[in-house]
Amino acid sequence: MNRTPLFPAAAGVRPEAPPGTGLRATPRCGTGPVPVPVPAAVRFRAACPDCRGRFELAAAALRLAIGATRRTTFYTFTCPECGASVRKPAGERIIELLTGGGVRTLRLHTAL
């Protein structure tokens, strides 16, 4: 299993609401979550286990699937160098980084 870390290219930078939008970073009490805009320039470092290429991907190039178990929670992308479809496991920290960076998420688990 390839354990190449996936981190935002700008480490330590958190997305903020643009000035004048009226959006707040924290939800108001009782109103549910408030959307936080993500800068278009957020990029993630990734690596391909097939060609061993290292590159940066925009959030739109990644997909996150959250399943009921660790085995069914993963992220995917297509290698821009060799065209391989890549699937890697996503732990809690990776999920936090990807969702915070605007990666589209699919929830696979269902309530029993």
Side-chain angles (χ1 to χ4, degrees):
M1 174 169 44
N2 186 343
R3 293 187 182 257
T4 303
L6 182 76
F7 298 101
V13 177
R14 287 203 159 281
E16 294 180 358
T21 62
L23 295 177
R24 297 171 18 156
T26 56
R28 293 182 207 149
C29 184
T31 62
V34 174
V36 176
V38 177
V42 172
R43 307 210 30 103
F44 296 92
R45 291 186 204 142
C48 176
D50 291 345
C51 71
R52 299 187 185 265
R54 294 185 177 276
F55 38 82
E56 289 185 358
L57 297 170
L62 294 151
R63 296 292 176 268
L64 173 63
I66 300 177
T69 67
R70 296 180 88 177
R71 187 175 174 179
T72 58
T73 301
F74 57 90
Y75 63 96
T76 62
F77 60 90
T78 300
C79 176
E81 295 182 11
C82 72
S85 183
V86 179
R87 175 179 164 160
K88 293 188 175 185
E92 290 181 25
R93 179 70 177 140
I94 298 297
I95 293 169
E96 180 182 321
L97 291 168
L98 293 176
T99 56
V103 172
R104 280 198 271 179
T105 303
L106 173 65
R107 298 203 182 270
L108 301 176
H109 59 83
T110 59
L112 295 178

